Amino acid sequence: DSGVTQTPKHLITATGQRVTLRCSPRSGDLSVYWYQQSLDQGLQFLIQYYNGEERAKGNILERFSAQQFPDLHSELNLSSLELGDSALYFCASSVGDSGRAGQFFGPGTRLTVL
Amino acid sequence: GENVEQHPSTLSVQEGDSAVIKCTYSDSASNYFPWYKQELGKGPQLIIDIRSNVGEKKDQRIAVTLNKTAKHFSLHITETQPEDSAVYFCASPGGGADGLTFGKGTHLIIQP
């Protein structure tokens, strides 16, 4: 158990809908990262937040957005969902603003878009 | 951006033998190289990492080696056990931001 929690575990929705995924980092960690894992694209970095501020963006679509709240939990919002958005979404956390001290992953949210 | 290649995609070894997984990276400014183990239905678990100021790091049966000149790093697992069966990923953040670029993964199968 990494100490990172994610809810919900599973989410089934329809095309065109909007969903919110939630992540709580390990106690004391200030950075949160979001990753998407799919069979064709593998594990891809989406976005990083550090202490409430956006720090870095990866391959995140414009339909997706994230935020980190004062209590350091983070939410990933996915809108206008398409079939291709079906994937596992992972959140990871690290101590400082650098992910080079170790990023620790949560159990993930499995999103199915029908 | 960073590009990480990982080989092989599948590796089958006899229990007790050693396993080696290799990765190459493209960004010469990269200085951090973690390895993750992912079991079915779980998130990736950080098992070992190495920074560019060292060439090798060991943790019990697991070791990672780094060759910065050739831009490749490898994971070595000795005395393999059934619980080592999983998918292993190498990663690198590149020289810029800290989001990790992952290899495609190696499915390690330990044969009894």
Side-chain angles (χ1 to χ4, degrees):
Chain A
D1 184 359
S2 66
V4 178
T5 60
Q6 290 186 248
T7 56
K9 284 193 69 128
H10 302 277
L11 202 45
I12 301 175
T13 189
T15 54
Q17 295 298 303
R18 173 189 168 93
V19 297
T20 298
L21 314 183
R22 183 188 168 104
C23 165
S24 292
R26 296 185 316 164
S27 176
D29 284 359
L30 298 177
S31 274
V32 168
Y33 307 77
W34 285 97
Y35 290 86
Q36 179 195 60
Q37 186 175 36
S38 62
L39 279 174
D40 51 344
Q41 299 291 331
L43 262 166
Q44 285 200 99
F45 167 64
L46 297 178
I47 196 164
Q48 176 196 2
Y49 275 81
Y50 171 71
N51 204 20
E53 301 285 329
E54 183 185 301
R55 179 57 64 98
K57 269 187 172 177
N59 298 321
I60 189 165
L61 299 172
E62 283 194 16
R63 301 183 284 110
F64 295 1
S65 65
Q67 52 185 327
Q68 186 179 28
F69 295 88
D71 67 352
L72 300 176
H73 91 271
S74 178
E75 293 181 355
L76 179 67
N77 301 296
L78 314 177
S79 62
S80 303
L81 285 167
E82 302 175 359
L83 295 177
D85 297 328
S86 295
L88 274 165
Y89 291 84
F90 290 104
C91 148
S93 71
S94 67
V95 173
D97 61 345
S98 169
R100 297 161 203 245
Q103 294 182 30
F104 299 88
F105 282 70
T109 293
R110 181 176 292 281
L111 173 66
T112 302
V113 182
L114 301 175
Chain B
E2 176 72 295
N3 183 47
V4 177
E5 302 276 346
Q6 182 173 348
H7 301 279
S9 57
T10 304
L11 179 59
S12 181
V13 302
Q14 290 294 124
E15 183 179 346
D17 288 350
S18 295
V20 181
I21 303 170
K22 298 181 180 181
C23 287
T24 59
Y25 61 97
S26 62
D27 190 337
S28 55
S30 191
N31 60 4
Y32 173 66
F33 307 93
W35 284 90
Y36 286 84
K37 174 184 181 183
Q38 188 175 25
E39 295 172 300
L40 201 60
K42 296 187 176 180
Q45 175 195 0
L46 178 64
I47 56 173
I48 195 166
D49 56 12
I50 191 168
R51 286 165 184 77
S52 57
N53 56 344
V54 297
E56 183 175 4
K57 182 177 177 182
K58 277 187 178 180
D59 182 3
Q60 298 182 14
R61 297 186 296 109
I62 292 173
V64 57
T65 58
L66 171 65
N67 183 328
K68 283 220 73 176
T69 304
K71 290 193 281 188
H72 67 70
F73 57 114
S74 300
L75 178 71
H76 305 253
I77 305 175
T78 58
E79 300 171 19
T80 52
Q81 299 169 4
E83 54 265 36
D84 295 330
S85 293
V87 179
Y88 291 80
F89 293 94
C90 61
S92 167
D98 293 322
L100 296 172
T101 298
F102 283 84
K104 294 289 187 191
T106 296
H107 185 193
L108 177 62
I109 301 164
I110 308 300
Q111 304 276 9

